[in-house]
Amino acid sequence: MKSALFTGAAVTLGLLMASIGSAQASTIDSDGSTSSHQPTARARQHGIEKAGDAYMGWVQNNTMTSTAAPAVMAPDATVEGIDVSSHQGNVDWTAQWNAGKRFAYTKATEGNYYTNPYFAQQYNGSYNVGMIRGAYHFATPNDSSGANQATYFLAHGGGWSKDGKTLPGALDIEYNPYGATCYGLSAASMVAWIRDFANTYKARTGRDVPIYTNLDWWTRCTGNSTAFNSTNPLWVAKYASSPGTLPGGWPFHTIWQYSSTPIDQDRFNGDMSRLQALANG
């Protein structure tokens, strides 16, 4: 596979929880969006009970039930990993290493109001056991600008350091668990929001943020925009035997989230040397 080159600087880890505020009854707007972070009925069915509970692939994790392992490429062509959030609590990283996992992404932040209380154990624990690790941000584009949320992410664990074991922070942009699927934004506005986040992250770290999404959401909410396919690595969600048609004209995927059993399963599209190159920039 091809790999983009990245450079940048480390950002200090912030560990304090951001105040969410008291829950208020939400008002449904004409486009179906809500004015607060009340989870929708669908989100509650998927374990999202309050603001901050959203996690990578929250819809796919419950609606796509195939547990068949995807076809395995040549052993030296892929690297196995996982992604985690507060739902996993304290992770047994030694067990994950012994299961063959060699990289991990941990949810750091959501919107500009939430930090993962298990972040330190998950992010540092994966690193300490020998994995290449990274952090991700769950975007809520209706809350604040892309620049604002990128800055919040960077201040609370989303930074990057050229230590050979830290991946660039990832942007999780997908179905809205708190209201309208596309957060009440037009396709053009959504693309502009993503660009604002990506540009801010790169200006601060020198790295192009990987984008986690899926074909359905990306098509609905960005008009299947091709604005990022030559700069930002694609992390595609598809629970099937192959990644299938890629969104946004990306010529290849960098990471594939292919299952949620027994924890979110990810596969890097390359051997360990390419994963290390992504970490090193």
Side-chain angles (χ1 to χ4, degrees):
M1 63 167 286
K2 293 161 55 181
S3 290
L5 296 179
F6 309 90
T7 57
V11 178
T12 302
L13 169 65
L15 296 177
L16 294 178
M17 284 288 291
S19 174
I20 296 173
S22 60
Q24 301 293 328
S26 60
T27 301
I28 301 177
D29 300 326
S30 59
D31 65 353
S33 64
T34 59
S35 57
S36 74
H37 297 101
Q38 296 280 347
T40 63
R42 187 184 191 194
R44 290 183 184 279
Q45 291 173 349
H46 298 176
I48 299 173
E49 297 295 333
K50 61 185 183 302
D53 279 355
Y55 54 94
M56 188 172 275
W58 68 271
V59 173
Q60 291 95 328
N61 284 355
N62 292 273
T63 61
M64 304 182 71
T65 58
S66 173
T67 59
V72 178
M73 299 170 66
D76 62 349
T78 60
V79 183
E80 294 292 324
I82 60 172
D83 60 85
V84 296
S85 67
S86 63
H87 289 270
Q88 281 71 50
N90 292 323
V91 176
D92 185 342
W93 289 108
T94 299
Q96 292 298 325
W97 177 270
N98 291 340
K101 309 308 177 185
R102 294 297 180 263
F103 74 96
Y105 264 96
T106 295
K107 180 181 177 181
T109 51
E110 177 178 316
N112 61 357
Y113 51 81
Y114 171 87
T115 59
N116 175 8
Y118 294 95
F119 181 76
Q121 192 277 343
Q122 295 173 346
Y123 188 71
N124 296 328
S126 56
Y127 181 96
N128 291 338
V129 81
M131 293 185 190
I132 298 176
R133 52 82 189 270
Y136 79 83
H137 173 77
F138 191 97
T140 57
N142 57 324
D143 284 321
S144 61
S145 69
N148 174 271
Q149 292 192 28
T151 299
Y152 186 80
F153 179 45
L154 284 160
H156 297 90
W160 173 75
S161 59
K162 193 173 183 179
D163 57 9
K165 291 180 67 178
T166 302
L167 294 161
L171 172 63
D172 177 2
I173 188 83
E174 57 173 304
Y175 304 102
N176 179 13
Y178 310 115
T181 296
C182 300
Y183 301 85
L185 274 62
S186 67
S189 294
M190 184 65 75
V191 170
W193 192 97
I194 296 168
R195 183 178 291 111
D196 194 28
F197 186 102
N199 287 348
T200 302
Y201 191 88
K202 186 168 186 177
R204 292 278 298 276
T205 67
R207 301 301 305 266
D208 287 302
V209 63
I211 296 174
Y212 169 95
T213 194
N214 63 72
L215 177 62
D216 176 68
W217 186 92
W218 192 261
T219 300
R220 290 196 207 185
C221 299
T222 74
N224 210 21
S225 172
T226 60
F228 307 98
N229 65 27
S230 64
T231 52
N232 299 83
L234 172 65
W235 186 348
V236 65
K238 177 72 171 180
Y239 293 5
S241 60
S242 72
T245 301
L246 300 180
W250 266 279
F252 59 91
H253 68 281
T254 296
I255 301 174
W256 169 28
Q257 185 190 66
Y258 62 84
S259 175
S260 63
T261 304
I263 195 170
D264 285 355
Q265 303 291 314
D266 300 292
R267 181 169 291 164
F268 178 76
N269 187 15
D271 62 18
M272 180 58 75
S273 70
R274 300 316 304 158
L275 181 61
Q276 290 169 334
L278 180 61
N280 280 317

